[in-house]
Amino acid sequence: MPGKVSRGPFHFVQAGGFSGLGRIILDKLDRGVVLLDARGRVLDANTLAVRLLEAGDGMALRSGRFVFADAALELRLSRMIAQRGAGAAGGAAAFAARVSRSAGAPYRVVVTPVPEGADERDVAFAALIYAPDEQRDISTDVLRELYALTPAQAQVARSLFAGRSVEESAAALNLSPNTVRTHLKQIFTRCEVQSQAELLHLLAQGPQHL
């Protein structure tokens, strides 16, 4: 019999969900992962997905189900669930969508069916949520080990990745703006990029944490 699992304020129907190892791995991903059963109920979700669902901006957990605020997207999801239930030829097709929210860039969401028999649990669909504005922290350990930055350079890169300007980073790190700019030039060399935009794009590709 399925039980329930609590994550934050949510209570998910639990029919196996993530394994212990799976949870460790999925909680480190830079995207949200939500597992749904054949009725669209949330079986489990990783840490980032829980945070996004809790915000309830563009998508949410309602009566145990994963739902979109946009009526057209909710209709597409409902049709996918219905096709799975009706055993339609070829099965339900995956879809991708831009999910608007009250502020910030839209989420990018892919909902894909899990082939029947591929898992002994009740997982029927997986939703992957890409939320670029949500991952604004990067560990100095990653910056030092992956890009060979010095501790001071890693602090500057981390501050810029968090969305601060050169001047704001200087104030936060108790440095002069000229010192931050000097570190930034050295960071460009070590990371083999030519601009701050290229640097932030590189860091956003991950990993952000060990």
Side-chain angles (χ1 to χ4, degrees), residues 176-197:
S176 72
N178 283 339
T179 299
V180 171
R181 291 189 183 95
T182 298
H183 284 316
L184 189 53
K185 289 179 182 178
Q186 295 165 343
I187 293 167
F188 288 170
T189 299
R190 292 182 182 236
C191 291
E192 300 180 342
V193 298
Q194 302 297 319
S195 68
Q196 188 170 326

Side-chain angles (χ1 to χ4, degrees), residues 6-11 50 54 61:
S6 297
R7 299 212 76 191
F10 298 131
H11 301 285
V50 168
E54 182 178 10
L61 182 72

Side-chain angles (χ1 to χ4, degrees), residues 56-72:
D57 194 358
M59 56 195 168
L61 182 72
R62 186 178 304 149
S63 299
R65 292 187 65 251
F66 176 80
V67 298
F68 292 110
D70 182 275

Side-chain angles (χ1 to χ4, degrees), residues 9-173:
F10 298 131
H11 301 285
F12 302 142
V13 175
Q14 175 73 351
F18 303 139
S19 66
L21 177 59
R23 179 168 304 288
I24 291 171
I25 295 171
L26 290 169
D27 279 346
K28 288 183 175 293
L29 288 183
D30 60 352
R31 67 205 59 178
V33 181
V34 184
L35 302 182
L36 310 175
D37 69 7
R39 295 167 57 187
R41 298 182 302 175
V42 176
L43 297 173
D44 210 339
N46 69 348
T47 298
L48 176 57
V50 168
R51 187 164 74 246
L52 299 177
L53 291 174
E54 182 178 10
D57 194 358
M59 56 195 168
L61 182 72
R62 186 178 304 149
S63 299
R65 292 187 65 251
F66 176 80
V67 298
F68 292 110
D70 182 275
L73 293 181
E74 182 60 20
L75 179 60
R76 291 183 71 181
L77 178 61
S78 296
R79 285 175 174 169
M80 171 184 272
I81 293 170
Q83 286 177 341
R84 175 73 173 240
F95 73 87
R98 288 163 58 90
V99 179
S100 298
R101 49 183 176 145
S102 58
Y107 297 137
R108 300 186 299 276
V109 180
V110 174
V111 184
T112 185
V114 175
E116 293 189 44
D119 194 297
E120 71 278 7
R121 296 164 296 182
D122 292 334
V123 180
F125 307 97
L128 304 180
I129 307 168
Y130 300 79
D133 290 348
E134 295 297 322
Q135 294 297 305
R136 300 302 296 270
D137 185 36
I138 188 168
S139 76
T140 55
D141 289 337
V142 164
L143 293 166
R144 294 179 64 185
E145 293 192 25
L146 193 58
Y147 305 105
L149 301 187
T150 67
Q153 291 166 358
Q155 289 290 351
V156 168
R158 183 178 185 227
S159 183
L160 294 171
F161 188 70
R164 299 187 185 95
S165 66
V166 167
E167 291 73 18
E168 290 168 339
S169 295
L173 299 173

